[in-house]
Amino acid sequence: MVHCIPFILMNFFLFREYKHLKEFTGGDYLFMGLISLFGGAIGTLAIVKALFLLNFQSLTIVVLLQKLQPVFAITLAALLLKEKLKKHFLLWTGLAITAGYILTFGLSLPNFHTGSKTLYAALFALLAAFSFGSSTVFSKKILIKYNFITATFFRYGFTTLFMLVIVLATGKLSQIYSTTSFNWFIFIVIGFTTGSGAIFLFYYGLKRIKAMLATICELFFPPLGDSFRLPF
């Protein structure tokens, strides 16, 4: 819904973007698909699953592990975009991974027999970090050729299609009938603020700077405290 609702509205104003489909090469379709699959579908599903596993408690674990996103983004930017990798990167990468582990489990080994969901939430958070980090690099690849409006429009379109397939495959479409009016309000707010509104701005900036710098700027996303609760 947070992808579908903005995409429907975009079609009223940006329907001319469909003309670019004729210009898309196989590589364009590949990278746009990867952006939507990882940045839209998998990343979103992983981070929400992590939050649900923790019952929206200890949110700092999920949010802080997401801060490993630059590790993945910078690595891929060096490999795919040929952006220059600083010589101290491996040192800071190792420190970041170690710090992420300590923030999650302290100085102890994870206990696989306690029934605790922290480990699984941490793994989903790491999957989200990889997904969002890789999506930044794939997005930069697309933005080399297309403008930020085109990239945002098709990211939301492709993601909506991916998520529709996932929802249908998992038999969850019927939940739409139990969605309250307040839930719809929240979907709309998310869709036009931290959703499409933020992506438009992010892609506008990413068009003009390196992916390595963009992923560091993303760390300014405000951390969420343990008192935070989703209102639905």
Side-chain angles (χ1 to χ4, degrees):
M1 287 300 105
V2 296
H3 287 89
C4 181
I5 294 172
F7 182 64
I8 290 174
L9 183 62
M10 287 179 199
N11 274 269
F12 289 102
F13 303 97
L14 304 176
F15 58 88
R16 292 185 179 86
E17 293 298 323
Y18 285 111
K19 67 183 180 183
H20 291 294
L21 288 175
K22 298 179 181 179
E23 305 170 13
F24 275 19
T25 64
D28 294 337
Y29 277 108
L30 173 63
F31 281 107
M32 190 58 71
L34 290 173
I35 292 167
S36 304
L37 182 61
F38 285 98
I42 295 177
T44 303
L45 288 172
I47 195 64
V48 173
K49 179 64 174 179
L51 293 173
F52 270 95
L53 282 171
L54 294 177
N55 294 317
F56 299 96
Q57 303 293 326
S58 303
L59 296 188
T60 49
I61 292 176
V62 175
V63 174
L64 287 172
L65 281 175
Q66 264 201 288
K67 301 310 177 189
L68 292 176
Q69 178 176 328
V71 174
F72 303 111
I74 293 173
T75 301
L76 286 173
L79 294 174
L80 296 179
L81 302 175
K82 308 303 180 184
E83 294 185 5
K84 187 177 180 180
L85 189 62
K86 300 297 183 181
K87 61 181 180 180
H88 297 304
F89 172 68
L90 292 179
L91 171 64
W92 289 109
T93 298
L95 180 61
I97 293 174
T98 302
Y101 179 92
I102 294 174
L103 286 167
T104 307
F105 303 109
L107 298 178
S108 304
L109 293 174
N111 188 340
F112 293 89
H113 306 289
T114 60
S116 172
K117 297 179 180 179
T118 301
L119 173 62
Y120 301 104
L123 291 175
F124 275 111
L126 284 174
L127 176 58
F130 169 78
S131 298
F132 293 136
S134 63
S135 178
T136 296
V137 176
F138 299 144
S139 296
K140 180 63 178 180
K141 192 78 173 177
I142 284 292
L143 288 167
I144 293 174
K145 185 174 180 180
Y146 299 97
N147 63 45
F148 74 100
I149 295 176
T150 301
T152 304
F153 180 80
F154 285 108
R155 169 178 173 147
Y156 270 74
F158 279 49
T159 300
T160 298
L161 290 176
F162 279 130
M163 289 306 303
L164 177 60
V165 171
I166 293 172
V167 169
L168 290 174
T170 54
K172 300 296 184 181
L173 187 62
S174 60
Q175 290 190 1
I176 197 171
Y177 299 110
S178 60
T179 305
T180 68
S181 57
F182 186 68
N183 293 157
W184 285 114
F185 171 73
I186 295 298
F187 285 148
I188 292 172
V189 170
I190 294 173
F192 292 108
T193 55
T194 58
S196 59
I199 292 295
F200 269 116
L201 292 173
F202 178 65
Y203 277 2
Y204 179 84
L206 183 58
K207 176 78 174 178
R208 293 158 174 78
I209 63 175
K210 293 182 178 180
M212 289 184 179
L213 176 57
T215 192
I216 297 299
C217 291
E218 286 184 83
L219 295 178
F220 283 90
F221 188 85
L224 305 176
D226 283 335
S227 60
F228 177 78
R229 297 291 184 274
L230 289 179
F232 59 92

